[in-house]
C-alpha cells in the first residue's frame, strides 16, 4: 500500500507539472540529471510565476553558471520570503558574476530593511561583485543598520566605491557616517593612503584628527542689571500760601505751660 500511495503522489505531481506547462506557467527545464539545486528552481519559483513566469529558467541558468547553485536558490527563497522581481534578478546576476563572494548577493542585497528600491538592489549587487572576497562584508557596513542608522544616497554610493577600490571595509564605512561632504572627502583620503591590512592604528589616528567633536555652544550674554527702585515719597510738604517752589516744614503746635 505504501508503494502504491507513493506512486499515486508521484503521478499527481507529474500531472500538475504537465498542466502548468500547458498553461504556459512553467518553462521547460534545462537541468541535467541529479542537479538538485537546479531542480529546486521549479519549486522555489512557484510564488513568482504569476508576475514573472520566466524566473524558473533564470534560476536554472544561474545554478548551471556557478559552482554553488544553492546561492541561486537563496535569491528566490532567502528566509522563505518573497522579494521584488528586480531585486531577485540583480541577485541572480550577482551570484554568477561573483562566485567567491556570492553569499553577499542574497544576505546583504535582499535585506529589505536596508535595500528598498531596484536602484539600491543594483548598487548593492555591484558592490558585492567589485569587492575583494575578503572585503565583501564592507558592502553591508556601507548601508548601516536599522539599529545604528541607515546610510542612504551619496554616502552609500561613495562607500561602495571605496570598497570597490580595495580599501579597508570598516574605514570606508566609518567615512560614510560623516554627514558633510568635506568631512567624507578628507576621511576617504585617509583610507586611500593606508594599506588594506596593515597600519590600522595610523588609519584610526588619521580619521580621529578629522572627527573632532564640535565645541559646545557659547552661553548667552548675561542679562543687564535691573534698574534701582524709585526713591520713597518725601515726608515734607509745602505750606499753603507760600511761594511757588518754596517749601517749609510744618511746625507742631505746642500749648503754653500754665
Amino acid at each position: 500500500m505504501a508503494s502504491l500511495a507513493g506512486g499515486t503522489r508521484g503521478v499527481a505531481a507529474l500531472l500538475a507539472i504537465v498542466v502548468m506547462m500547458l498553461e504556459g506557467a512553467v518553462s521547460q527545464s534545462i537541468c541535467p540529471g541529479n542537479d538538485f539545486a537546479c531542480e529546486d528552481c521549479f519549486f522555489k519559483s512557484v510564488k513568482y510565476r504569476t508576475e514573472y513566469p520566466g524566473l524558473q529558467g533564470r534560476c536554472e541558468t544561474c545554478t548551471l553558471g556557478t559552482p554553488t547553485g544553492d546561492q541561486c536558490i537563496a535569491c528566490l527563497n532567502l528566509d522563505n520570503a518573497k522579494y521584488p522581481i528586480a531585486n531577485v534578478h540583480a541577485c541572480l546576476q550577482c551570484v554568477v558574476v561573483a562566485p567567491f563572494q556570492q553569499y553577499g548577493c542574497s544576505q546583504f542585497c535582499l535585506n529589505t530593511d536596508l535595500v528598498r528600491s531596484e536602484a539600491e538592489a543594483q548598487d548593492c549587487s555591484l558592490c558585492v561583485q567589485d569587492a575583494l572576497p575578503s572585503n565583501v562584508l564592507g558592502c553591508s557596513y556601507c548601508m548601516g543598520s536599522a539599529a545604528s542608522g541607515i546610510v542612504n544616497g551619496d554616502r552609500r554610493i561613495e562607500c561602495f566605491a571605496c570598497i570597490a577600490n580595495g580599501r579597508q571595509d570598516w574605514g570606508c564605512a566609518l567615512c560614510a557616517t560623516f554627514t558633510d561632504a568635506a568631512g567624507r572627502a578628507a576621511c576617504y583620503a585617509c583610507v586611500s593612503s593606508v594599506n588594506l591590512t596593515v597600519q590600522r592604528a595610523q588609519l584610526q589616528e588619521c580619521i580621529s584628527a578629522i572627527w573632532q567633536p564640535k565645541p559646545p555652544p557659547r552661553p548667552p550674554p548675561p542679562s543687564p542689571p535691573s534698574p534701582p527702585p524709585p526713591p520713597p515719597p518725601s515726608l515734607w510738604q509745602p505750606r499753603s500760601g507760600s511761594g511757588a517752589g518754596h517749601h517749609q516744614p510744618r511746625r507742631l503746635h505746642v500749648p503754653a505751660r500754665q
Side-chain angles (χ1 to χ4, degrees), residues 14-28 42 46 49-50 52-54 56:
L14 179 61
L15 288 175
I17 294 173
V18 171
V19 170
M20 295 177 74
M21 292 183 69
L22 290 175
E23 292 174 348
V26 182
S27 58
Q28 186 166 350
F42 167 77
V46 169
R49 282 192 189 123
T50 301
Y52 193 51
Q56 177 190 342

Side-chain angles (χ1 to χ4, degrees), residues 72-93:
C72 303
I73 301 300
C75 291
L76 277 65
N77 199 54
L78 183 69
D79 298 327
N80 295 316
K82 182 179 179 181
Y83 299 95
I85 288 298
N87 298 30
V88 175
H89 172 76
C91 182
L92 291 171
Q93 181 180 0

Side-chain angles (χ1 to χ4, degrees), residues 231-253:
S234 175
L235 298 177
W236 302 100
Q237 297 186 10
R239 179 184 294 180
S240 59
S242 61
H246 179 74
H247 298 275
Q248 292 186 358
R250 289 183 176 180
R251 294 185 179 182
L252 299 177
H253 174 71

Side-chain angles (χ1 to χ4, degrees), residues 15-59:
L15 288 175
I17 294 173
V18 171
V19 170
M20 295 177 74
M21 292 183 69
L22 290 175
E23 292 174 348
V26 182
S27 58
Q28 186 166 350
S29 176
I30 59 175
C31 298
N34 299 324
D35 190 328
F36 298 108
C38 183
E39 293 172 357
D40 205 21
C41 290
F42 167 77
F43 300 100
K44 297 302 189 292
S45 62
V46 169
K47 55 193 169 195
Y48 296 98
R49 282 192 189 123
T50 301
E51 53 191 313
Y52 193 51
L55 185 60
Q56 177 190 342
R58 291 198 60 85
C59 176

Side-chain angles (χ1 to χ4, degrees), residues 75-223:
C75 291
L76 277 65
N77 199 54
L78 183 69
D79 298 327
N80 295 316
K82 182 179 179 181
Y83 299 95
I85 288 298
N87 298 30
V88 175
H89 172 76
C91 182
L92 291 171
Q93 181 180 0
C94 174
V95 168
V96 175
V97 175
F100 298 106
Q101 56 263 41
Q102 57 188 208
Y103 72 94
C105 303
S106 57
Q107 296 290 335
F108 306 154
C109 304
L110 289 181
N111 186 337
T112 53
D113 289 334
L114 305 177
V115 178
R116 301 176 178 177
S117 69
E118 179 180 350
E120 289 183 348
Q122 187 65 36
D123 291 336
C124 177
S125 298
L126 290 175
C127 178
V128 173
Q129 295 173 40
D130 294 337
L132 296 173
S134 60
N135 208 32
V136 67
L137 191 59
C139 298
S140 177
Y141 294 159
C142 286
M143 296 187 290
S145 68
S148 62
I150 298 175
V151 176
N152 289 315
D154 291 341
R155 294 193 294 154
R156 180 180 294 195
I157 298 301
E158 292 168 358
C159 187
F160 283 164
C162 180
I163 296 295
N165 288 329
R167 304 307 178 187
Q168 180 61 264
D169 52 5
W170 66 267
C172 297
L174 183 58
C175 294
T177 62
F178 285 77
T179 56
D180 61 299
R184 291 197 303 276
C187 182
Y188 285 124
C190 289
V191 176
S192 298
S193 65
V194 178
N195 186 277
L196 178 65
T197 57
V198 299
Q199 301 174 329
R200 183 183 181 99
Q202 179 183 343
L203 177 56
Q204 289 177 323
E205 182 179 355
C206 184
I207 295 178
S208 297
I210 306 168
W211 199 353
Q212 296 292 339
K214 294 182 180 180
R218 293 182 178 181
S223 302

